[in-house]
PDB file of all heavy atoms in Angstrom:
ATOM      1  N   PHE O 293       4.746  14.662  -0.252  1.00 89.00           N
ATOM      2  CA  PHE O 293       5.969  13.985  -0.667  1.00 89.00           C
ATOM      3  C   PHE O 293       5.779  13.372  -2.045  1.00 89.00           C
ATOM      4  O   PHE O 293       4.669  13.331  -2.589  1.00 89.00           O
ATOM      5  CB  PHE O 293       6.432  12.943   0.354  1.00 89.00           C
ATOM      6  CG  PHE O 293       5.525  11.746   0.528  1.00 89.00           C
ATOM      7  CD1 PHE O 293       5.795  10.556  -0.117  1.00 89.00           C
ATOM      8  CD2 PHE O 293       4.436  11.811   1.379  1.00 89.00           C
ATOM      9  CE1 PHE O 293       4.989   9.445   0.063  1.00 89.00           C
ATOM     10  CE2 PHE O 293       3.629  10.703   1.579  1.00 89.00           C
ATOM     11  CZ  PHE O 293       3.898   9.512   0.911  1.00 89.00           C
ATOM     12  N   VAL O 294       6.884  12.919  -2.618  1.00 90.00           N
ATOM     13  CA  VAL O 294       6.869  12.331  -3.956  1.00 90.00           C
ATOM     14  C   VAL O 294       7.774  11.110  -3.950  1.00 90.00           C
ATOM     15  O   VAL O 294       8.822  11.100  -3.300  1.00 90.00           O
ATOM     16  CB  VAL O 294       7.313  13.361  -5.024  1.00 90.00           C
ATOM     17  CG1 VAL O 294       8.696  13.903  -4.735  1.00 90.00           C
ATOM     18  CG2 VAL O 294       7.264  12.754  -6.422  1.00 90.00           C
ATOM     19  N   GLN O 295       7.341  10.067  -4.667  1.00 88.00           N
ATOM     20  CA  GLN O 295       8.161   8.871  -4.754  1.00 88.00           C
ATOM     21  C   GLN O 295       7.982   8.222  -6.120  1.00 88.00           C
ATOM     22  O   GLN O 295       6.883   8.237  -6.684  1.00 88.00           O
ATOM     23  CB  GLN O 295       7.794   7.860  -3.660  1.00 88.00           C
ATOM     24  CG  GLN O 295       6.383   7.322  -3.768  1.00 88.00           C
ATOM     25  CD  GLN O 295       6.012   6.430  -2.605  1.00 88.00           C
ATOM     26  OE1 GLN O 295       5.121   6.747  -1.849  1.00 88.00           O
ATOM     27  NE2 GLN O 295       6.667   5.309  -2.478  1.00 88.00           N
ATOM     28  N   PRO O 296       9.033   7.665  -6.685  1.00 91.00           N
ATOM     29  CA  PRO O 296       8.886   6.870  -7.897  1.00 91.00           C
ATOM     30  C   PRO O 296       8.025   5.636  -7.624  1.00 91.00           C
ATOM     31  O   PRO O 296       8.055   5.082  -6.532  1.00 91.00           O
ATOM     32  CB  PRO O 296      10.329   6.475  -8.238  1.00 91.00           C
ATOM     33  CG  PRO O 296      11.180   7.475  -7.528  1.00 91.00           C
ATOM     34  CD  PRO O 296      10.442   7.809  -6.282  1.00 91.00           C
ATOM     35  N   ILE O 297       7.265   5.213  -8.622  1.00 94.00           N
ATOM     36  CA  ILE O 297       6.416   4.030  -8.498  1.00 94.00           C
ATOM     37  C   ILE O 297       7.194   2.798  -8.970  1.00 94.00           C
ATOM     38  O   ILE O 297       7.788   2.798 -10.045  1.00 94.00           O
ATOM     39  CB  ILE O 297       5.121   4.196  -9.316  1.00 94.00           C
ATOM     40  CG1 ILE O 297       4.245   5.288  -8.699  1.00 94.00           C
ATOM     41  CG2 ILE O 297       4.349   2.885  -9.385  1.00 94.00           C
ATOM     42  CD1 ILE O 297       3.715   4.957  -7.321  1.00 94.00           C
ATOM     43  N   TYR O 298       7.145   1.780  -8.161  1.00 93.00           N
ATOM     44  CA  TYR O 298       7.826   0.522  -8.448  1.00 93.00           C
ATOM     45  C   TYR O 298       6.831  -0.625  -8.330  1.00 93.00           C
ATOM     46  O   TYR O 298       5.793  -0.508  -7.687  1.00 93.00           O
ATOM     47  CB  TYR O 298       8.954   0.278  -7.440  1.00 93.00           C
ATOM     48  CG  TYR O 298      10.198   1.093  -7.667  1.00 93.00           C
ATOM     49  CD1 TYR O 298      10.220   2.456  -7.417  1.00 93.00           C
ATOM     50  CD2 TYR O 298      11.366   0.497  -8.140  1.00 93.00           C
ATOM     51  CE1 TYR O 298      11.365   3.212  -7.629  1.00 93.00           C
ATOM     52  CE2 TYR O 298      12.507   1.243  -8.355  1.00 93.00           C
ATOM     53  CZ  TYR O 298      12.507   2.599  -8.098  1.00 93.00           C
ATOM     54  OH  TYR O 298      13.632   3.334  -8.306  1.00 93.00           O
ATOM     55  N   ASP O 299       7.180  -1.754  -8.937  1.00 92.00           N
ATOM     56  CA  ASP O 299       6.501  -2.995  -8.597  1.00 92.00           C
ATOM     57  C   ASP O 299       7.516  -4.126  -8.553  1.00 92.00           C
ATOM     58  O   ASP O 299       8.669  -3.985  -8.987  1.00 92.00           O
ATOM     59  CB  ASP O 299       5.326  -3.299  -9.522  1.00 92.00           C
ATOM     60  CG  ASP O 299       5.672  -3.226 -11.000  1.00 92.00           C
ATOM     61  OD1 ASP O 299       6.830  -3.495 -11.351  1.00 92.00           O
ATOM     62  OD2 ASP O 299       4.778  -2.888 -11.787  1.00 92.00           O
ATOM     63  N   LEU O 300       7.081  -5.238  -7.974  1.00 93.00           N
ATOM     64  CA  LEU O 300       7.997  -6.349  -7.756  1.00 93.00           C
ATOM     65  C   LEU O 300       7.210  -7.633  -7.569  1.00 93.00           C
ATOM     66  O   LEU O 300       6.158  -7.638  -6.923  1.00 93.00           O
ATOM     67  CB  LEU O 300       8.854  -6.092  -6.510  1.00 93.00           C
ATOM     68  CG  LEU O 300       9.751  -7.236  -6.021  1.00 93.00           C
ATOM     69  CD1 LEU O 300      11.064  -6.676  -5.496  1.00 93.00           C
ATOM     70  CD2 LEU O 300       9.090  -8.054  -4.917  1.00 93.00           C
ATOM     71  N   GLU O 301       7.717  -8.705  -8.153  1.00 92.00           N
ATOM     72  CA  GLU O 301       7.206 -10.044  -7.887  1.00 92.00           C
ATOM     73  C   GLU O 301       8.364 -10.898  -7.381  1.00 92.00           C
ATOM     74  O   GLU O 301       9.351 -11.076  -8.088  1.00 92.00           O
ATOM     75  CB  GLU O 301       6.651 -10.680  -9.162  1.00 92.00           C
ATOM     76  CG  GLU O 301       5.511  -9.948  -9.819  1.00 92.00           C
ATOM     77  CD  GLU O 301       5.149 -10.565 -11.146  1.00 92.00           C
ATOM     78  OE1 GLU O 301       4.549 -11.660 -11.151  1.00 92.00           O
ATOM     79  OE2 GLU O 301       5.485  -9.968 -12.176  1.00 92.00           O
ATOM     80  N   ALA O 302       8.260 -11.408  -6.181  1.00 95.00           N
ATOM     81  CA  ALA O 302       9.297 -12.292  -5.665  1.00 95.00           C
ATOM     82  C   ALA O 302       9.201 -13.643  -6.364  1.00 95.00           C
ATOM     83  O   ALA O 302       8.110 -14.197  -6.538  1.00 95.00           O
ATOM     84  CB  ALA O 302       9.139 -12.478  -4.160  1.00 95.00           C
ATOM     85  N   ALA O 303      10.353 -14.169  -6.774  1.00 94.00           N
ATOM     86  CA  ALA O 303      10.362 -15.467  -7.445  1.00 94.00           C
ATOM     87  C   ALA O 303       9.838 -16.567  -6.528  1.00 94.00           C
ATOM     88  O   ALA O 303       9.176 -17.507  -6.975  1.00 94.00           O
ATOM     89  CB  ALA O 303      11.783 -15.798  -7.908  1.00 94.00           C
ATOM     90  N   ARG O 304      10.129 -16.446  -5.245  1.00 96.00           N
ATOM     91  CA  ARG O 304       9.573 -17.369  -4.254  1.00 96.00           C
ATOM     92  C   ARG O 304       9.136 -16.563  -3.040  1.00 96.00           C
ATOM     93  O   ARG O 304       9.760 -15.569  -2.693  1.00 96.00           O
ATOM     94  CB  ARG O 304      10.587 -18.426  -3.817  1.00 96.00           C
ATOM     95  CG  ARG O 304      10.770 -19.551  -4.800  1.00 96.00           C
ATOM     96  CD  ARG O 304      11.388 -20.768  -4.131  1.00 96.00           C
ATOM     97  NE  ARG O 304      10.553 -21.348  -3.082  1.00 96.00           N
ATOM     98  CZ  ARG O 304       9.518 -22.170  -3.306  1.00 96.00           C
ATOM     99  NH1 ARG O 304       9.167 -22.479  -4.537  1.00 96.00           N
ATOM    100  NH2 ARG O 304       8.844 -22.676  -2.303  1.00 96.00           N
ATOM    101  N   THR O 305       8.071 -17.009  -2.409  1.00 97.00           N
ATOM    102  CA  THR O 305       7.615 -16.344  -1.195  1.00 97.00           C
ATOM    103  C   THR O 305       7.949 -17.147   0.053  1.00 97.00           C
ATOM    104  O   THR O 305       7.721 -16.662   1.157  1.00 97.00           O
ATOM    105  CB  THR O 305       6.096 -16.118  -1.241  1.00 97.00           C
ATOM    106  OG1 THR O 305       5.431 -17.370  -1.464  1.00 97.00           O
ATOM    107  CG2 THR O 305       5.725 -15.153  -2.360  1.00 97.00           C
ATOM    108  N   ALA O 306       8.502 -18.349  -0.099  1.00 97.00           N
ATOM    109  CA  ALA O 306       8.833 -19.166   1.071  1.00 97.00           C
ATOM    110  C   ALA O 306       9.844 -20.227   0.681  1.00 97.00           C
ATOM    111  O   ALA O 306       9.853 -20.724  -0.449  1.00 97.00           O
ATOM    112  CB  ALA O 306       7.578 -19.818   1.648  1.00 97.00           C
TER     113      ALA O 306
END
Side-chain angles (χ1 to χ4, degrees):
F293 66 98
V294 58
Q295 64 185 116
I297 292 294
Y298 284 71
D299 51 30
L300 172 143
E301 300 173 73
R304 282 200 63 81
T305 55

